[in-house]
Amino acid sequence: MKKKTTIYDIANALNITVSTVSRALSGFPAISDTTRKAVVDMAKKLNYSPNKLASALKSGKTYIIGVIVPSVEAHFFASIIHCIEDGLKDSGYRVIIYQSNETVENEINGVKTLLEAQVDGIMASLSLETKDVSHFAEIIEQNKPLILFDRVNTGLNVPTITLDDFKAGYMATKHLIDKGYKKIAFVTTAHQVKIFTDRLEGYKAALADQKLPVITDHMILGGLSIKDGHFGAGELMRNHKPDAIIAGDDFTALGLIQKLKEIGATPPEIGVIGFANEAFSAYITPSLSTIDQHASQMGKECANMFLKMIGQKNPYSKIEHVILNPSIIERESTDPSTSSIQL
Amino acid sequence: MKKKTTIYDIANALNITVSTVSRALSGFPAISDTTRKAVVDMAKKLNYSPNKLASALKSGKTYIIGVIVPSVEAHFFASIIHCIEDGLKDSGYRVIIYQSNETVENEINGVKTLLEAQVDGIMASLSLETKDVSHFAEIIEQNKPLILFDRVNTGLNVPTITLDDFKAGYMATKHLIDKGYKKIAFVTTAHQVKIFTDRLEGYKAALADQKLPVITDHMILGGLSIKDGHFGAGELMRNHKPDAIIAGDDFTALGLIQKLKEIGATPPEIGVIGFANEAFSAYITPSLSTIDQHASQMGKECANMFLKMIGQKNPYSKIEHVILNPSIIERESTDPSTSSIQL
């Protein structure tokens, strides 16, 4: 095993102090030209490769960006990260990823870890648990760009890239009403994260606009997963018999569909629509209608925003909020006219 | 915006050099007690929080581990990462992730980036492009643990965690033969990565053991994706009419099934089996038989191996290779007895 040459080796070889070596290599003025030449020559002789991080610390840039997401297992976040990487490729920035796994404790560790790794900036989408966001303040204090995307918090005065989630909830509900469904339930998370409460408000507003009652028992607030969807469909069908169900995400919709098949109410007999357009959503039977959250555009906007911010002395001199428009992908699970084929 | 106190501020306040401050704070012996006390007092007064990285550089540990994977969009890799995190949780190690996106150029950048971020070790699964692995040598030279998992290369003398991929290929093929299929094709990647060539060898061996011919035209070597599966099924069904197809991964199987449905040969009429047991595989119609690559066990073994290595002065004093056994998950796509229900 070859040991890497360090400035300590150079110092030993020349019998001078490490700090002299360091100052000679970094162009510190108070070092004589003779000493500087001796150090540089010895560095070459010993095949010394300067620690890039050390130079980075000096220039203040590592060209590394940290991205914190709840989980890369969600295709939505994985897509966003790919598009952030794409958007930053030409500028030489590279992306490292940290998962909060939906806990605020991990998210705090993520901020610490990425700052210790000397990232030039951080992009983050909050965990379901996150209410207090003070752990992000250190990034702003270091004058590094912080951008929040998708799951954001107004407690931080930083740029955000979000979807119009009220509109997304409204759109999903209105679509079901247009397809003839009238008793529409919603299975989503109990966590008070803005995007989820916004969607629920959009759902209520769409029902109200169509003079349909908003029924508390039609809102199942639990978690977002296949298991939660399965449970939610069971609860709803046993007690409140909706004719359509909105799922908080496509995984939850998978669970809903599974349960509905088990009890002989396969969609679109009971309409089902999800959120996120996961990779599988077009391929399950029935294929799943869903709200497209435009992951690729969100990733691209994050990259652009970062490049704008990093170019400024004060990245927070102008704070922009980008709001993307959702769109709907209509498939078999909400189309009663395909019912005979499915059943 | 609060500017962070640095050692430069302390040096200015006391009118001494930065290197004196640095040496005083790091316990360097040649500093008088008076100076040290003055520096420490001023540091406290100015609310100086020492750069954790700097202390880490001193102790040689950051408690950060880097994981390089082809893409987190593959559920298999996302699961492994979750299990690595789980396995390291109690030891205080945190994980940052880098994606190679299947190019060797990105993989090289990944190694550089993670080393610049001062990780304590790296775990990696190689990109499809990777043949030369010399970019990993720097990790070993720095005496930091390097572990390769799943997609490995024998050119590096480091610990590995792999699946018995020959057995996996054999198992998939044998399963189809046992179910009555006789003309079995294979749609996989053209890249000469060990796990994929091993699976292909297992496929050939299983055919030979059952006295079935190995037909070159039955092996479609292209890429691994929904699109490649769709294309591969078209090619095979137009020209060579197999009665079953093995897909290199579950995404490719999705594309195969889509095409087979289009031409009225919905599985299990034509048997289809995949690799990886993606999240969606149980929920598509027909549900997809697949080889379980035991992502969770692979992640756990990576974590254990790292903890073993980091505890030793020379992490490479004993090099272990862990080989996991694949298992098969039988579902509708390879079960002809369910055919009438499906069609």
Side-chain angles (χ1 to χ4, degrees):
Chain A
M1 200 155 330
K2 205 185 83 189
K3 207 180 149 290
K4 213 186 156 193
T5 304
T6 67
I7 54 172
Y8 292 90
D9 302 317
I10 301 172
N12 280 337
L14 294 170
N15 201 19
I16 57 176
T17 68
V18 170
S19 68
T20 305
V21 174
S22 165
R23 281 182 291 171
L25 288 174
S26 60
F28 201 76
I31 299 283
S32 74
D33 282 349
T34 325
T35 309
R36 194 186 316 279
K37 193 175 175 306
V39 169
V40 170
D41 288 351
M42 185 55 75
K44 276 185 194 150
K45 192 179 157 196
L46 294 179
N47 206 10
Y48 169 72
S49 123
N51 185 333
K52 280 208 180 153
L53 179 70
S55 352
L57 284 170
K58 214 172 149 288
S59 80
K61 284 211 182 182
T62 54
Y63 285 91
I64 306 174
I65 293 174
V67 179
I68 302 175
V69 291
S71 168
V72 296
E73 283 197 65
H75 187 252
F76 174 65
F77 290 119
S79 303
I80 290 180
I81 295 168
H82 272 294
C83 295
I84 292 173
E85 289 178 342
D86 251 21
L88 293 174
K89 213 169 41 190
D90 295 337
S91 60
Y93 282 96
R94 287 160 286 161
V95 171
I96 55 179
I97 309 162
Y98 195 95
Q99 301 187 97
S100 71
N101 293 317
E102 303 288 15
T103 79
V104 72
E105 189 195 337
N106 278 332
E107 193 172 273
I108 293 170
N109 277 334
V111 173
K112 275 193 214 162
T113 302
L114 294 173
L115 286 177
E116 283 167 32
Q118 304 291 320
V119 294
D120 287 348
I122 290 180
M123 303 175 187
S125 193
L126 304 180
S127 88
L128 286 176
E129 272 187 16
T130 307
K131 279 178 200 136
D132 180 349
V133 285
S134 55
H135 49 293
F136 287 100
E138 174 72 12
I139 308 165
I140 303 168
E141 282 171 18
Q142 291 192 16
N143 209 33
K144 290 179 172 176
L146 168 64
I147 296 166
L148 294 183
F149 62 92
D150 192 49
R151 299 199 203 155
V152 307
N153 182 306
T154 47
L156 283 166
N157 191 22
V158 301
T160 56
I161 321 283
T162 51
L163 189 78
D164 186 337
D165 285 289
F166 176 88
K167 196 167 176 177
Y170 192 100
M171 195 177 252
T173 313
K174 181 69 166 43
H175 167 71
L176 289 168
I177 296 168
D178 289 347
K179 287 290 178 180
Y181 299 103
K182 288 191 168 60
K183 292 158 68 182
I184 300 167
F186 202 151
V187 176
T188 185
T189 172
H191 284 95
Q192 294 297 303
V193 177
K194 191 175 176 300
I195 66 166
F196 297 111
T197 52
D198 280 359
R199 287 180 196 169
L200 206 56
E201 289 309 311
Y203 156 80
K204 289 180 195 167
L207 291 178
D209 282 355
Q210 304 297 316
K211 316 269 181 262
L212 292 170
V214 175
I215 299 164
T216 308
D217 287 343
H218 275 176
M219 291 174 268
I220 305 281
L221 305 179
L224 293 175
S225 71
I226 293 174
K227 211 173 129 197
D228 285 300
H230 193 273
F231 174 83
E235 279 289 295
L236 286 167
M237 297 309 288
R238 199 161 33 249
N239 301 317
H240 315 291
K241 304 240 176 340
D243 59 11
I245 310 176
I246 304 172
D249 69 8
D250 282 4
F251 284 98
T252 307
L254 258 188
L256 283 170
I257 291 174
Q258 191 188 28
K259 180 67 185 183
L260 291 172
K261 279 183 177 174
E262 283 168 23
I263 61 175
T266 305
E269 185 182 319
I270 303 294
V272 171
I273 185 166
F275 280 85
N277 195 26
E278 293 286 342
F280 58 79
S281 304
Y283 300 97
I284 59 173
T285 306
S287 59
L288 179 64
S289 296
T290 188
I291 298 293
D292 190 336
Q293 298 170 280
H294 298 294
S296 60
Q297 208 190 329
M298 197 173 277
K300 206 182 292 173
E301 296 285 350
C302 284
N304 289 344
M305 185 73 80
F306 174 81
L307 292 174
K308 254 193 236 175
M309 291 173 82
I310 202 79
Q312 284 156 359
K313 200 163 175 184
N314 173 5
Y316 299 98
S317 57
K318 194 176 96 189
I319 290 173
E320 290 178 73
H321 300 284
V322 176
I323 300 170
L324 305 176
N325 252 320
S327 57
I328 192 162
I329 299 174
E330 301 187 19
R331 298 203 183 102
E332 294 165 350
S333 66
T334 56
D335 186 357
S337 70
T338 66
S339 196
S340 57
I341 306 170
Q342 295 305 322
L343 293 176
Chain B
M1 203 155 328
K2 202 184 86 189
K3 206 178 150 289
K4 213 187 157 190
T5 304
T6 68
I7 54 172
Y8 293 90
D9 302 317
I10 301 171
N12 281 336
L14 294 171
N15 201 21
I16 57 176
T17 68
V18 170
S19 67
T20 305
V21 174
S22 165
R23 285 183 289 171
L25 288 175
S26 60
F28 202 76
I31 299 283
S32 75
D33 283 350
T34 324
T35 308
R36 195 187 316 280
K37 193 175 177 306
V39 169
V40 171
D41 287 352
M42 185 56 75
K44 276 186 195 151
K45 191 179 158 197
L46 294 178
N47 206 10
Y48 170 71
S49 123
N51 185 333
K52 279 206 183 157
L53 179 69
S55 354
L57 284 169
K58 213 168 151 292
S59 80
K61 286 212 181 180
T62 55
Y63 286 90
I64 306 175
I65 293 174
V67 179
I68 302 176
V69 290
S71 168
V72 295
E73 284 197 66
H75 187 252
F76 174 65
F77 290 119
S79 303
I80 290 180
I81 296 167
H82 272 295
C83 295
I84 292 173
E85 289 178 343
D86 250 19
L88 294 175
K89 212 170 41 190
D90 295 338
S91 61
Y93 282 96
R94 287 160 286 161
V95 171
I96 57 180
I97 309 162
Y98 195 94
Q99 300 187 98
S100 72
N101 293 317
E102 303 288 13
T103 80
V104 71
E105 190 195 337
N106 278 332
E107 194 172 273
I108 293 170
N109 278 333
V111 173
K112 275 193 215 161
T113 302
L114 293 174
L115 286 177
E116 284 167 32
Q118 304 292 321
V119 293
D120 287 347
I122 290 181
M123 303 175 187
S125 194
L126 304 179
S127 88
L128 286 177
E129 272 187 14
T130 307
K131 279 179 199 133
D132 179 349
V133 285
S134 55
H135 50 291
F136 287 100
E138 175 72 13
I139 307 165
I140 303 168
E141 282 171 17
Q142 291 192 16
N143 210 33
K144 289 178 173 178
L146 168 64
I147 296 165
L148 294 182
F149 62 92
D150 192 50
R151 299 199 202 155
V152 306
N153 182 307
T154 47
L156 283 167
N157 191 21
V158 301
T160 57
I161 321 282
T162 52
L163 190 77
D164 186 338
D165 285 288
F166 176 89
K167 195 166 178 178
Y170 193 100
M171 196 176 251
T173 313
K174 182 67 167 42
H175 167 70
L176 289 168
I177 296 168
D178 290 346
K179 287 290 179 181
Y181 298 104
K182 287 189 171 59
K183 293 158 68 182
I184 300 166
F186 202 151
V187 176
T188 184
T189 171
H191 283 94
Q192 294 297 303
V193 176
K194 192 175 175 297
I195 66 166
F196 298 112
T197 51
D198 280 359
R199 286 180 197 169
L200 206 56
E201 290 309 312
Y203 157 79
K204 290 178 195 168
L207 291 178
D209 282 356
Q210 304 296 315
K211 316 270 183 259
L212 291 170
V214 175
I215 300 164
T216 309
D217 287 343
H218 275 177
M219 290 174 269
I220 305 281
L221 305 180
L224 293 175
S225 69
I226 292 174
K227 212 173 129 195
D228 286 299
H230 193 271
F231 174 83
E235 279 290 294
L236 286 167
M237 296 308 289
R238 197 160 34 248
N239 302 316
H240 315 291
K241 304 243 176 337
D243 59 10
I245 310 176
I246 305 173
D249 69 7
D250 282 3
F251 285 98
T252 307
L254 258 188
L256 283 170
I257 291 174
Q258 191 188 27
K259 180 68 185 181
L260 291 172
K261 279 183 178 175
E262 283 167 25
I263 61 176
T266 305
E269 186 183 318
I270 303 293
V272 171
I273 185 167
F275 279 86
N277 195 26
E278 293 285 343
F280 58 79
S281 303
Y283 301 97
I284 60 174
T285 306
S287 58
L288 178 64
S289 295
T290 189
I291 299 291
D292 190 336
Q293 298 171 280
H294 298 295
S296 60
Q297 207 190 330
M298 196 171 278
K300 208 182 292 176
E301 296 286 349
C302 284
N304 289 344
M305 184 73 80
F306 174 82
L307 292 174
K308 256 193 237 175
M309 292 173 81
I310 202 80
Q312 284 157 359
K313 200 163 177 184
N314 173 5
Y316 298 99
S317 56
K318 194 176 96 189
I319 290 174
E320 290 178 72
H321 300 285
V322 176
I323 300 170
L324 305 176
N325 253 319
S327 57
I328 192 161
I329 299 173
E330 302 186 21
R331 298 203 183 104
E332 294 165 349
S333 66
T334 57
D335 186 357
S337 70
T338 66
S339 194
S340 57
I341 304 169
Q342 295 306 322
L343 293 176

